[in-house]
Amino acid sequence: MNALLPTAVVGSLPKPSWLAEPEKLWSPWALEGDALVEGQQDALRAAVHEQRQRGIDIVSDGEQTRQHFVTTFIEHLSGVDFENRETVRIRNRYDASVPTVVGPVERPQPVFVADAAFLRAQTDQRIKWALPGPMTMIDTLSDRYYKSREKLAWEFAGILNQEAKELEAAGVDVIQFDEPAFNVFFDDVRDWGMATLERAVEGLRAETAVHICYGYGIKANTDWKETLGPEWRQYEESFPLLQKSSIDIVSLESHNSRIPIEVIELIRGKKIMLGAIDVASHEIERPEEVADTLRRALDFVDADKLIASSNCGMAPLPRDVALAKLSALSAGAAILREELAGALV
């Protein structure tokens, strides 16, 4: 692994077409039963191979064993009804059919731990596993039992902490919590969202990360971005809170966005996983573009705390496009790495 400017995939990678319909969120599986398990493991092996071949240092599963970054975790919990679904507005942006909380939520057994152990067996590199954050979980379902966003978030935080500790025991080096809801519900983040995230990471020895982005490159998200004006300053709400938190790494969107790069100053001292790859475009970044995005961040983060990454997950992208973007990411990081090494000579 590169000690300076390591590279990582922030979230999902596209699934092979024989496993699920390409370029679609919540795509149903094309296989079932034992064939599905075998197919998911083959897809995970392929994702690891592609990341290693394309120079990714901190390897992930690419979310090959889950339909969606939130609901696949939720469907393994008791107290949630997936048959009687309801339509809700997700992050005030788009409608989706989601499961309903009908009783006490509990985790009868580990959710992703076996998959993480399988990932661990595929590589000796550092590995990262993503979990949904408590606030984003409550925003991706309907609640007819707790009838309190805060109370349900605290329940999920405890469950996530259980899962995270077992992922750590399975050999996961970095445990990432996805919290795009932090970019929308600012009052809740201040009042209890940050506290529930702290509960989710409580007692972990593995490095912890929180990923806050502007969403997958789907139309609902790109349309929303067009309403945000010439500068996107949502990070200014959560970053001061994160700077004081126990979270080790903050993952944020940057390339081709309207986010002022200086917002990184608000989390000075944290490791930064900087999005240098645009997931809302099929255009493949030039390595020099990636290097430039990373280079601009160095005014606000020390080089030894900077991780090169994508803006968000790439599940909706064509597979060949996503993989080419990984190559561009590692090539761009290599350009800047060489510059920094030369400056020290």
Side-chain angles (χ1 to χ4, degrees):
M1 172 171 156
N2 288 298
L4 188 64
L5 296 180
T7 53
V9 178
V10 79
S12 60
L13 291 171
K15 297 178 179 67
S17 58
W18 46 259
L19 182 62
E21 183 179 345
E23 302 176 44
K24 183 178 179 181
L25 292 182
W26 279 294
S27 179
W29 300 114
L31 306 171
E32 58 184 32
D34 291 343
L36 174 59
V37 174
E38 182 178 350
Q40 289 172 333
Q41 290 184 341
D42 285 346
L44 196 156
R45 283 192 192 95
V48 170
H49 172 77
E50 292 289 359
Q51 288 174 81
R52 297 187 68 176
Q53 288 293 105
R54 294 169 187 274
I56 301 302
D57 297 303
I58 304 170
V59 174
S60 81
D61 64 319
E63 300 182 12
Q64 299 297 296
T65 64
R66 40 188 145 171
Q67 279 187 312
H68 185 263
F69 79 104
V70 180
T71 53
T72 299
F73 186 83
I74 293 173
E75 71 186 21
H76 288 83
L77 307 180
S78 60
V80 184
D81 184 352
F82 269 74
E83 297 299 322
N84 297 304
R85 303 171 73 94
E86 297 187 19
T87 299
V88 302
R89 194 79 173 163
I90 293 183
R91 293 190 287 286
N92 290 334
R93 219 171 298 164
Y94 58 93
D95 295 330
S97 175
V98 298
T100 305
V101 176
V102 295
V105 290
E106 296 178 347
R107 172 181 168 269
Q109 58 191 18
V111 179
F112 294 134
V113 176
D115 292 336
F118 185 82
L119 171 62
R120 177 71 284 169
Q122 307 309 308
T123 179
D124 56 3
Q125 293 175 233
R126 282 168 58 80
I127 62 172
K128 178 168 69 72
W129 197 275
L131 293 171
M135 276 192 66
T136 298
M137 288 179 72
I138 63 172
D139 194 53
T140 318
L141 44 67
S142 176
D143 173 25
R144 290 188 173 273
Y145 181 77
Y146 291 92
K147 299 180 180 178
S148 163
R149 288 168 60 85
E150 179 179 358
K151 186 172 182 180
L152 181 55
W154 279 108
E155 293 292 334
F156 282 147
I159 289 170
L160 288 165
N161 186 251
Q162 295 170 5
E163 180 79 6
K165 286 180 175 176
E166 293 189 35
L167 289 171
E168 177 184 83
V172 175
D173 301 290
V174 182
I175 300 174
Q176 172 183 306
F177 293 85
D178 295 330
E179 280 289 23
F182 271 32
N183 260 355
V184 181
F185 305 110
F186 305 126
D187 290 342
D188 288 347
V189 173
R190 286 190 297 271
D191 293 345
W192 47 265
M194 192 66 245
T196 58
L197 181 60
E198 287 278 24
R199 172 68 184 95
V201 305
E202 187 177 292
L204 292 176
R205 296 181 302 278
E207 279 198 297
T208 57
V210 60
H211 172 58
I212 308 171
C213 68
Y214 289 75
Y216 280 120
I218 59 175
K219 187 176 186 302
N221 291 333
T222 55
D223 288 349
W224 171 65
K225 290 179 186 182
E226 289 303 314
T227 71
L228 299 180
E231 286 192 339
W232 303 347
R233 292 191 169 272
Q234 285 74 16
Y235 287 142
E236 292 178 339
E237 301 285 342
S238 60
F239 279 11
L241 301 174
L242 286 166
Q243 202 279 330
K244 300 174 185 175
S245 76
S246 64
I247 300 292
D248 299 306
I249 305 167
V250 179
S251 168
L252 63 142
E253 183 169 328
S254 182
H255 185 64
N256 278 358
S257 76
R258 300 174 192 166
I259 298 161
I261 195 69
E262 63 266 21
V263 299
I264 300 174
E265 180 65 39
L266 297 174
I267 38 176
R268 174 78 73 171
K270 297 292 185 183
K271 287 187 177 181
I272 304 300
M273 191 182 301
L274 190 74
I277 292 292
D278 185 5
V279 301
S281 168
H282 289 194
E283 183 177 347
I284 310 302
E285 287 79 3
R286 292 179 294 104
E288 292 78 10
E289 290 181 272
V290 173
D292 184 58
T293 298
L294 297 170
R295 191 182 296 111
R296 290 186 300 113
L298 291 177
D299 286 336
F300 309 100
V301 57
D302 293 340
D304 62 354
K305 292 184 179 295
L306 184 59
I307 301 166
S309 176
S310 54
N311 279 347
C312 187
M314 294 192 277
L317 288 174
R319 200 174 180 205
D320 59 338
V321 169
L323 297 178
K325 283 175 175 281
L326 295 188
S327 295
L329 178 68
S330 60
I335 290 173
L336 186 55
R337 202 178 294 126
E338 290 176 10
E339 287 180 12
L340 293 170
L344 296 175
V345 175

